[in-house]
Amino acid sequence: MKTSDFYYELPKELIAQDPLEDRSSSRLMHLDRNTGAVEHRHFRDIREYLKPGDCLVINDTKVIPARLYGRKEGTDALIEILLLKRKENDVWETLVKPGKKCRPGAEISFGEGILKGKIIEVVEEGNRLIQFEYEGIFEEILDRLGEMPLPPYITHKLKDKNRYQTVYAKHEGSAAAPTAGLHFTEELLEEIQSMGVRIAHVTLHVGLGTFRPVKVEEVTEHHMHSEFYVVEEEQAALINQTRKQGGRVIAVGTTSCRTLESAASEDGTLKAGSGWTDIFIYPGYRFKILDGLITNFHLPESTLIMLVSAFAGKEHVLAAYEEAVREKYRFFSFGDAMIIL
């Protein structure tokens, strides 16, 4: 299986640069995973595809304003830092630009010294471990100095940083939003619940590896980044009960899907717990727990389009993407959505 098997032509103007004013007014494509048939709707119509007894699984991670701009002590060079994951207390694994100016021992000042960082080690893929020093609460300082870490294909500045958060974002720790969830409003979720659809929460802190291109020719040679997930007892019980009673488990986003499939045993029982997952789902994968998927439109040759192809079939998915291009759907993080059942 070649990476190039997952390529499709995307005109640049279809990459959504700004979120819509009304979250639920984005378009929704329904893809039938058995036949490949598609329907064109709006996201608020998603209720028509759900049934009482179904369970929507949402990822309640919260994006931190992980992009920081500082000055290197001694040279005053401008340095950009992206917080990837907290290793321990005030030590973070980061992406630093320009990396060549930031060798171990280099010190960086942010916000005129409110926050200081010292590079203590260069780790895999050139990432840097930084030890931070500050007075007060780190999260509050980050909220003042940090910017939302929008993906590289979004060039517009985000006016309201809450638009890169889901309305149910709760547990801080992501360097990117679980974007399929951006389409839900509180009102829409309430309406869905009042239909008798359960809503279960899992947490997976999304890393920037989610945007990392697949650089190998053979899909199976790609090494997946690892991300931290949590499935609580109560939520696992809710999902297991849904399956026992014949309801469908529908993941909101590839991150919820990866969490479910990482925490499921071979017989499809979801186990509560937490840990790191580097699960890589591509065609040929046998899903243990998933019955449906709500997701955005993903980059050509990405691990995400491979995951969707594993669930709905590569031919069906690529044909649906070509249809979305013809119909001028909006693509990627701030773009339109697809429900696959």
Side-chain angles (χ1 to χ4, degrees):
M1 202 182 329
K2 305 279 189 229
T3 300
S4 55
D5 294 342
F6 299 89
Y7 181 77
Y8 67 94
E9 286 285 344
L10 180 68
K12 204 174 169 187
E13 63 270 17
L14 295 184
I15 299 172
Q17 291 295 326
D18 302 289
L20 297 179
E21 190 104 353
D22 171 14
R23 289 174 184 261
S24 63
S25 66
S26 51
R27 292 167 79 185
L28 177 72
M29 178 187 280
H30 168 237
L31 172 61
D32 185 312
R33 63 188 287 226
N34 296 316
T35 66
V38 300
E39 293 178 312
H40 304 290
R41 307 295 290 269
H42 284 93
F43 195 82
R44 67 179 80 88
D45 302 325
I46 202 157
R47 294 164 295 194
E48 295 174 35
Y49 296 102
L50 303 175
K51 301 181 210 166
D54 286 344
C55 181
L56 276 188
V57 183
I58 59 179
N59 179 8
D60 62 9
T61 187
K62 192 170 189 177
V63 186
I64 58 172
R67 182 170 273 126
L68 288 162
Y69 293 95
R71 296 275 177 188
K72 186 181 172 187
E73 299 277 3
T75 66
D76 216 30
L78 182 65
I79 305 293
E80 180 189 334
I81 282 180
L82 206 50
L83 302 176
L84 298 179
K85 52 190 169 198
R86 192 194 290 263
K87 303 298 276 186
E88 54 183 302
N89 297 333
D90 296 319
V91 175
W92 284 76
E93 185 174 337
T94 66
L95 200 60
V96 177
K97 289 200 295 196
K100 60 181 180 292
K101 291 188 177 176
C102 291
R103 296 191 171 90
E107 296 185 2
I108 306 156
S109 175
F110 307 91
E112 296 178 350
I114 296 169
L115 179 66
K116 290 188 172 181
K118 184 175 184 177
I119 293 175
I120 54 175
E121 194 183 334
V122 178
V123 291
E124 61 176 323
E125 294 174 342
N127 295 346
R128 267 71 172 161
L129 294 187
I130 296 185
Q131 170 94 51
F132 287 103
E133 279 181 32
Y134 53 90
E135 284 183 17
I137 298 166
F138 184 75
E139 286 72 19
E140 287 178 4
I141 293 168
L142 199 56
D143 210 41
R144 276 171 63 191
L145 301 181
E147 290 182 8
M148 279 301 190
L150 294 180
Y153 48 73
I154 293 177
T155 55
H156 290 192
K157 200 157 173 70
L158 186 62
K159 292 184 188 117
D160 173 9
K161 60 184 178 186
N162 284 327
R163 286 302 276 107
Y164 195 56
Q165 298 281 22
T166 61
V167 296
Y168 45 77
K170 186 176 177 187
H171 301 291
E172 292 190 328
S174 272
T179 54
L182 295 178
H183 305 280
F184 286 96
T185 62
E186 284 164 1
E187 295 75 21
L188 183 55
L189 285 167
E190 282 168 18
E191 286 168 22
I192 287 167
Q193 277 184 295
S194 68
M195 289 168 52
V197 175
R198 299 163 166 150
I199 295 179
H201 295 241
V202 296
T203 307
L204 181 132
H205 293 317
V206 190
L208 273 204
T210 207
F211 304 116
R212 189 170 290 143
V214 178
K215 290 179 178 167
V216 290
E217 197 178 324
E218 288 288 338
V219 167
T220 51
E221 289 173 12
H222 177 67
H223 175 63
M224 205 62 178
H225 58 289
S226 62
E227 295 166 318
F228 187 75
Y229 74 89
V230 181
V231 178
E232 292 171 356
E233 290 278 359
E234 191 183 318
Q235 307 301 319
L238 189 63
I239 293 163
N240 289 330
Q241 185 185 29
T242 298
R243 299 194 80 233
K244 272 188 197 140
Q245 294 172 348
R248 297 175 300 176
V249 175
I250 300 166
V252 177
T254 55
T255 61
S256 299
C257 164
R258 291 179 69 239
T259 305
L260 290 172
E261 292 296 316
S262 297
S265 50
E266 284 304 315
D267 66 357
T269 305
L270 189 65
K271 297 174 288 190
S274 63
W276 293 88
T277 178
D278 61 357
I279 190 170
F280 182 18
I281 297 175
Y282 52 85
Y285 179 84
R286 192 177 65 80
F287 286 86
K288 301 192 276 280
I289 205 161
L290 208 66
D291 301 302
L293 179 65
I294 298 166
T295 187
N296 280 17
F297 290 88
H298 303 294
L299 278 78
E301 302 184 335
S302 63
T303 60
L304 303 180
I305 196 171
M306 292 171 190
L307 183 154
V308 176
S309 298
F311 187 64
K314 180 167 71 74
E315 288 75 20
H316 289 345
V317 169
L318 289 176
Y321 271 55
E322 282 168 18
E323 171 90 353
V325 169
R326 278 196 299 275
E327 293 292 326
K328 296 196 167 20
Y329 272 65
R330 300 164 77 248
F331 279 67
F332 307 163
S333 295
F334 286 141
D336 295 317
M338 176 187 267
I339 183 167
I340 306 168
L341 290 169

